[in-house]
Amino acid sequence: MKRYVIGRIFSGILVIFLALTAVFFMLRLSGDPVLLFAPMDTSRQDMDAIRERMGFNDPVLVQYGRFMQDAVRGDFGDSSRERRPAMEVVIERLPATVLLGTIALVLAIAIGVPLGILSAVKHGSIWDKLARLLSVLGQAIPSFWLGVILIMFFSVRLGWLPTSGRGGWEHLIMPAITLSAFSMARYARLTRSTFIDVLGQDYIRTARAKGLTQSIILQRHAFKNASVSLITMTALEIGNLIAGAVVVEQVFAWPGMGRMMVQSLLNRDFAVVTAAVVLFAAMYTTCNIIADLAYGWVNPTVRLN
Amino acid sequence: MAASATVDRNDITKVAKPTLRRRLRPLLKDKWATVAVIFLIAVVLMAIFADMLVPDNINSPNFGARLLPPMTDGHIAGTDQLGRDVFGRLILGSRVSIVVGFGTVFFALLIGIPIGMMAGYFGGWFDAILMRLVDVQLSFPFILLALTINAIMGLGLKNILITLVIVGWIEYARIARGETLIVREREFIQAAHLIGSREWVILLRHILPNITTPLIVIGTLQVARFIIAEASISFLGFGVQPPTPAWGSMVSDGLKFILSAWWLITFPGLALALVALAVNITGDWLRDTLDPRIRNR
């Protein structure tokens, strides 16, 4: 077990290392790197100065070594826009993204899972049809459009909720709903199919024959077994939520990492982009490791190696 | 006696070669799938013949007809801030979505299948490299990677297609590898080895036909994902650039008029959702008929 955890952490580090390498070569090999780091209207002399200062005249491998050395120390260079360390700029935005993502995840599980169970237990009923319709729609509607439509109704027409920005809890409602819609649909769908599977098993029939009530069967027998696939999915969903946040934060001007990253891409502030990419990858990898561990913990028949 | 045997054989031939109608029967039974497939075919045709369906001056401004609401002066979906017909631009915009959605899956399959098959069949260092690539790719949120690559490579339809293929092929390589690992152990592959078939013949003639079904099903379901990815990227201001209409950028253009012109935002998004819905329903139906065992993937 211990060896497994250490192995996973090492492979996680390797992945982030490879990700950094990919980002470095993508940025360097895509043409003159100065064009990526300098503002659009920089003069030729200034460009040469930047080239010399940032070491772009050195061989690529030397640059790579320097980039990696700095990266290990958490130094990704300075933001060309804010003139301070890129990682600092990104880390500041982390709490907003984590807050939004967590609420969206809770919302997706709190609504998606019961909906899926209801749909499976009352298989073929009107509830089932409604839940399936919702899950199909949730997977087809683009999140940016859902967000804009919500703004149009609840902010512009009705004036109930603020259109954008960060403030009290009322600022969180629409972004969280928008971000969670896709995950909610997937939870409902997976819970439904897992429960239909589990409820058809022999031990559930045995439990019924013993005279246990429906709620005890669901809680004690069905849910525990269904939770294995739900936990695996949760790790993937966290990834989806992080990715979704990039779009949703932009729609609602939510000051998180995703919005920071999009703004930096538009401003061609690639130091910040690199820092954000690394942080996203680190978060994502950590979630995957935790999910693997949780998987083994919930289902002891799964051997981790 | 002999006569009846001939009749029987004829019957068998009839069953063995199903007519078109027989093949379509399961599709027609599922009425949602029927509607979805017909709708998709219509959209694809619309995208192909878009030039003939819309007037040539569709992208030129007409300031006399700015921001007309739907159903005025023959504009079914109204006009935008430059007086251009929204419905016509929606038809033209379907091209971007269809080309990106189907094109990405096509090229990603074209690259992913051979690489995945070779990794699964031969193993070794090639396989190790591929699996590390899969790990790296799985450690990135899809859209982040696509945005970064697109921003570096430059904007435009061709680049967004290349971007999505770069991001997308690994998924198919992974699936092709997994399926190859399973098929490789089957008896008929050993039999092919024993009669002295060459490796590439085994790969092409024996393994490829046995791994395509799950790839086609997952590929179909992924069309919707790529369509929405492209729309999201265009919405964020990358990807397809004006005046070429794309559904994603039409929504973001409409944002400035959210107070006055609801139709600018509503219709392109509705078009996206309907196409994604139709693709998903078609994909689900394909999966149920072709390959029920991947139901929960």
Side-chain angles (χ1 to χ4, degrees):
Chain A
M1 185 67 190
K2 209 173 185 178
R3 258 180 67 190
Y4 174 78
V5 177
I6 293 170
R8 272 309 308 253
I9 290 172
F10 267 109
S11 84
I13 292 171
L14 178 72
V15 162
I16 292 168
F17 172 81
L18 288 175
L20 266 170
T21 308
V23 171
F24 173 84
F25 282 102
M26 252 159 41
L27 288 175
R28 287 300 184 283
L29 298 182
S30 62
D32 190 351
V34 179
L35 296 177
L36 295 179
F37 288 90
M40 292 280 188
D41 51 352
T42 315
S43 72
R44 189 156 273 259
Q45 286 96 330
D46 286 346
M47 283 226 219
D48 288 338
I50 294 173
R51 192 171 287 128
E52 191 55 47
R53 182 160 51 85
M54 299 190 72
F56 291 143
N57 291 328
D58 299 335
V60 173
L61 281 180
V62 174
Q63 290 184 45
Y64 174 67
R66 197 164 44 215
F67 173 81
M68 278 302 180
Q69 248 175 21
D70 290 345
V72 168
R73 283 181 276 137
D75 177 8
F76 296 91
D78 283 358
S79 157
S80 62
R81 206 175 170 79
E82 306 210 7
R83 309 256 170 238
R84 57 201 178 97
M87 204 36 146
E88 193 181 301
V89 175
V90 177
I91 290 270
E92 267 175 20
R93 304 296 193 99
L94 183 63
T97 297
V98 171
L99 176 69
L100 179 60
T102 311
I103 291 181
L105 183 66
V106 169
L107 211 59
I109 294 175
I111 297 173
V113 172
L115 203 63
I117 296 177
L118 189 70
S119 183
V121 172
K122 300 195 184 279
H123 193 34
S125 72
I126 180 86
W127 290 106
D128 186 21
K129 286 190 179 119
L130 197 72
R132 279 166 75 186
L133 181 73
L134 277 179
S135 74
V136 170
L137 284 181
Q139 291 192 326
I141 294 176
S143 63
F144 66 87
W145 186 60
L146 179 63
V148 171
I149 292 289
L150 286 178
I151 292 177
M152 208 159 76
F153 268 97
F154 293 102
S155 307
V156 176
R157 283 281 153 91
L158 299 169
W160 289 355
L161 294 165
T163 54
S164 60
R166 194 176 177 196
W169 58 270
E170 69 274 12
H171 283 88
L172 257 167
I173 297 176
M174 288 197 298
I177 291 175
T178 308
L179 185 55
S180 71
F182 186 79
S183 297
M184 204 184 283
R186 291 187 23 125
Y187 271 111
R189 193 180 162 122
L190 183 82
T191 311
R192 177 177 179 275
S193 63
T194 315
F195 263 77
I196 288 177
D197 243 25
V198 170
L199 289 176
Q201 300 285 329
D202 287 343
Y203 63 83
I204 297 289
R205 207 178 324 140
T206 311
R208 285 240 162 83
K210 279 200 303 189
L212 295 183
T213 59
Q214 175 82 340
S215 65
I216 288 186
I217 291 175
L218 285 180
Q219 282 168 28
R220 285 224 195 117
H221 299 271
F223 193 77
K224 266 195 187 161
N225 285 288
S227 61
V228 176
S229 47
L230 289 179
I231 284 174
T232 319
M233 195 188 127
T234 298
L236 293 173
E237 277 319 302
I238 291 175
N240 282 337
L241 287 171
I242 292 174
V246 175
V247 176
V248 173
E249 287 181 1
Q250 189 71 8
V251 174
F252 291 97
W254 182 261
M257 275 169 66
R259 184 170 159 81
M260 185 79 236
M261 166 135 178
V262 172
Q263 298 291 333
S264 306
L265 280 170
L266 288 169
N267 297 330
R268 310 191 75 69
D269 190 347
F270 280 92
V272 174
V273 173
T274 313
V277 163
V278 169
L279 200 59
F280 271 126
M283 283 163 68
Y284 205 73
T285 310
T286 313
C287 290
N288 278 335
I289 295 175
I290 292 173
D292 273 5
L293 296 178
Y295 190 67
W297 176 67
V298 181
N299 185 1
T301 57
V302 176
R303 269 243 191 91
L304 299 172
N305 50 39
Chain B
M1 205 55 204
S4 79
T6 332
V7 170
D8 280 347
R9 196 180 301 150
N10 278 345
D11 277 352
I12 290 166
T13 355
K14 261 182 207 158
V15 175
K17 278 190 183 167
T19 56
L20 185 67
R21 186 183 288 176
R22 265 217 185 102
R23 274 176 197 275
L24 283 178
R25 194 175 287 162
L27 176 63
L28 295 171
K29 241 193 239 164
D30 186 342
K31 58 178 186 292
W32 284 109
T34 317
V35 174
V37 170
I38 292 173
F39 177 76
L40 266 188
I41 292 173
V43 173
V44 171
L45 288 177
M46 189 174 88
I48 294 171
F49 298 109
D51 282 339
M52 292 178 214
L53 293 171
V54 299
D56 290 340
N57 60 354
I58 187 76
N59 283 328
S60 38
N62 174 11
F63 293 105
R66 297 179 67 226
L67 296 177
L68 292 178
M71 296 302 185
T72 38
D73 299 344
H75 299 291
I76 303 173
T79 61
D80 66 5
Q81 69 277 14
L82 297 175
R84 300 172 298 191
D85 181 52
V86 172
F87 191 69
R89 281 173 59 79
L90 279 178
I91 292 180
L92 214 54
S94 69
R95 277 198 166 163
V96 175
S97 289
I98 296 299
V99 166
V100 169
F102 288 92
T104 307
V105 169
F106 176 77
F107 288 112
L109 282 172
L110 209 64
I111 299 171
I113 291 178
I115 294 181
M117 270 171 58
M118 287 199 284
Y121 188 73
F122 295 115
W125 59 269
F126 190 71
D127 191 33
I129 291 178
L130 180 74
M131 288 325 282
R132 280 291 88 79
L133 262 178
V134 169
D135 281 349
V136 174
Q137 206 224 15
L138 287 179
S139 69
F140 273 112
F142 171 81
I143 191 125
L144 261 183
L145 198 58
L147 274 179
T148 313
I149 297 177
N150 197 235
I152 292 170
M153 286 211 340
L155 312 171
L157 181 62
K158 198 180 84 199
N159 280 342
I160 197 158
L161 190 65
I162 296 173
T163 303
L164 291 177
V165 172
I166 292 176
V167 182
W169 71 270
I170 296 178
E171 171 81 9
Y172 302 116
R174 190 176 68 92
I175 297 165
R177 174 186 175 271
E179 294 293 322
T180 306
L181 281 177
I182 298 169
V183 176
R184 192 178 65 172
E185 306 302 328
R186 301 260 293 270
E187 290 88 350
F188 63 88
I189 301 295
Q190 289 166 9
H193 272 298
L194 283 175
I195 60 166
S197 299
R198 287 192 207 128
E199 302 283 18
W200 65 269
V201 174
I202 293 178
L203 276 172
L204 279 182
R205 294 255 305 265
H206 302 294
I207 291 186
L208 184 62
N210 284 296
I211 66 167
T212 42
T213 312
L215 284 163
I216 289 172
V217 171
I218 291 165
T220 310
L221 288 168
Q222 297 262 33
V223 169
R225 184 177 171 216
F226 289 124
I227 288 177
I228 290 184
E230 179 278 321
S232 305
I233 293 169
S234 291
F235 172 81
L236 293 175
F238 305 91
V240 181
Q241 295 299 300
T244 310
W247 292 344
S249 51
M250 284 173 79
V251 173
S252 65
D253 288 345
L255 275 183
K256 285 161 241 153
F257 305 92
I258 193 168
L259 294 175
S260 52
W262 57 269
W263 56 93
L264 294 183
I265 294 165
T266 309
F267 292 128
L270 206 58
L272 272 169
L274 284 177
V275 170
L277 193 64
V279 171
N280 281 338
I281 292 175
T282 310
D284 279 351
W285 167 78
L286 270 179
R287 181 191 54 198
D288 290 348
T289 31
L290 296 178
D291 195 2
R293 98 195 134 85
I294 48 172
R295 189 168 269 263
N296 290 328
R297 256 189 226 169

